[in-house]
Amino acid sequence: MRRKLVVGNWKMNGSLVFNAALLAGIKDRVDSRQCDAAVCVPAPYLAQCQTQLSDSGIFWGAQDLSAYDAGAHTGDVSAAMLVDFSCKYVIVGHSERRALHSESNELIAMKVVRALASGLTPIICVGETLEQYDAGLTKVVVGKQIDDVLAMISVEDIEKIVIAYEPVWAIGTGRNATPQIAQDVHSSLRAKLALKNPIAAVGARILYGGSMKPDNAKELLSMADVDGGLIGGAALKAADFLAIVHAAG
Ligand code: PEP
C-alpha cells in the first residue's frame, strides 16, 4: 500500500511575513499517520521552514538544484546546500524550468543523479504540452522524459524517486486532467518503472499536478495509481492545502 504524498509548490511566491502565517496555518493540522505532506519553497525561505516545521510532521524541500557539486555556477544552489537546511525533497524538471530555462531531459537527469547522491528525494516532473496532448502524444512525451532519467540512475535508485505527472495544459489554468486521464498516464509511467525494477515500481509514488484543488482532489486521489498531488496555487492558502492533504489521508 503506497502512502499518499501531497507537496505544495510555492513557486516564486511568499515573503517572511506571508510564509510565517501560511506555515503556522498548516503546521499542526497535518496528521502524519494519514499521509505525507511537504512544501517546496524558494531557496531563501528554507531556513524559515527548518525553523518553523522541524517539530511538525510536514517535510520541506526546494524547487530546483544545480546539476553540479560546487564552484563557478553563479546563482545556483547545490544539493549539499539543500541538505544543510534538512530538505527532504527537491522538485526537478518542473515544466516552468523546462520552458523558461530551457532545461533538457539530459540536464534534468543530471540533477536527479545529484539529488540522489546527496540523499534528497527528487520529485521528477513530466508532462506534455496542449499541442502534444491534442496530437495524442502524451505517453510518448512523458515516456521519453522518464526514460531519459531512468537511463542515468541505477535500478536500485528507482525506489528513491517520486514522479509527478503534470500536464502543462493543466498547470495554473484551472483546467485539470480528468481522473481517468491521470490514471491512464500514471499506470503507463509505472509500467516504465516496472521494466527496470518491478518491485520498486509497485512502491513508487506518482503524483498528479495541474490545478488540483479541494473540490477535485478526492476524485483524482481515489484513482489506483494516483499517489498524491503536486499543488501550485492551492498550496498558498492554508485551508485549501489542508483540504487536499485531508482528501489524501
Ligand atoms: C505546479 O506548478 O506544479 C502546479 C501543479 O500548479 P497549479 O496547481 O497551480 O496548477
Side-chain angles (χ1 to χ4, degrees):
M1 180 67 177
R2 292 181 292 272
R3 225 174 125 73
K4 294 246 193 300
L5 168 64
V6 176
V7 182
N9 171 17
W10 288 8
K11 311 194 188 204
M12 198 172 72
N13 293 297
S15 67
L16 285 174
V17 172
F18 176 88
N19 306 344
L22 179 53
L23 294 172
I26 61 175
K27 187 178 157 167
D28 295 320
R29 299 192 173 87
V30 170
D31 184 351
S32 52
R33 290 167 304 181
Q34 302 295 321
C35 77
D36 289 334
V39 289
C40 287
V41 306
Y45 298 131
L46 289 172
Q48 189 180 22
C49 287
Q50 193 177 30
T51 304
Q52 267 192 262
L53 295 180
S54 52
D55 59 346
S56 78
I58 302 176
F59 299 102
W60 60 93
Q63 300 170 9
D64 184 36
L65 83 168
S66 172
Y68 302 95
D69 251 350
H73 299 283
T74 302
D76 284 352
V77 173
S78 73
M81 293 170 187
L82 302 184
V83 172
D84 263 350
F85 289 95
S86 310
C87 289
K88 180 170 175 63
Y89 296 103
V90 59
I91 297 172
V92 183
H94 191 279
S95 60
E96 286 152 16
R97 294 211 61 87
R98 291 179 189 265
L100 304 174
H101 297 266
S102 307
E103 292 200 3
S104 63
N105 286 356
E106 190 192 12
L107 178 69
I108 289 158
M110 286 168 67
K111 291 183 174 192
V112 170
V113 169
R114 198 59 64 182
L116 289 168
S118 297
L120 295 161
T121 300
I123 300 172
I124 306 161
C125 297
V126 298
E128 80 287 12
T129 63
L130 184 58
E131 294 69 37
Q132 291 164 334
Y133 173 76
D134 285 341
L137 292 172
T138 299
K139 288 185 192 168
V140 176
V141 172
V142 302
K144 168 99 175 101
Q145 288 171 335
I146 205 63
D147 277 345
D148 284 356
V149 170
L150 295 180
M152 296 264 294
I153 66 173
S154 71
V155 164
E156 293 74 38
D157 277 340
I158 293 177
E159 67 180 31
K160 300 179 191 148
I161 63 173
V162 170
I163 296 174
Y165 168 54
E166 298 207 306
V168 178
W169 47 270
I171 296 180
T173 58
R175 178 182 171 189
N176 62 289
T178 63
Q180 200 47 56
I181 293 173
Q183 168 58 27
D184 193 32
V185 178
H186 284 221
S187 80
S188 78
L189 288 165
R190 199 176 304 286
K192 285 264 174 211
L193 301 182
L195 289 175
K196 297 262 179 181
N197 184 337
I199 294 173
V202 172
R205 292 190 286 190
I206 306 178
L207 316 183
Y208 168 78
S211 298
M212 192 186 271
K213 309 272 182 223
D215 61 357
N216 60 23
K218 190 107 203 155
E219 222 192 336
L220 284 158
L221 292 165
S222 70
M223 304 311 284
D225 287 291
V226 177
D227 307 312
L230 183 56
I231 319 299
L236 296 172
K237 284 192 198 134
D240 287 3
F241 185 68
L242 286 172
I244 297 171
V245 171
H246 294 152

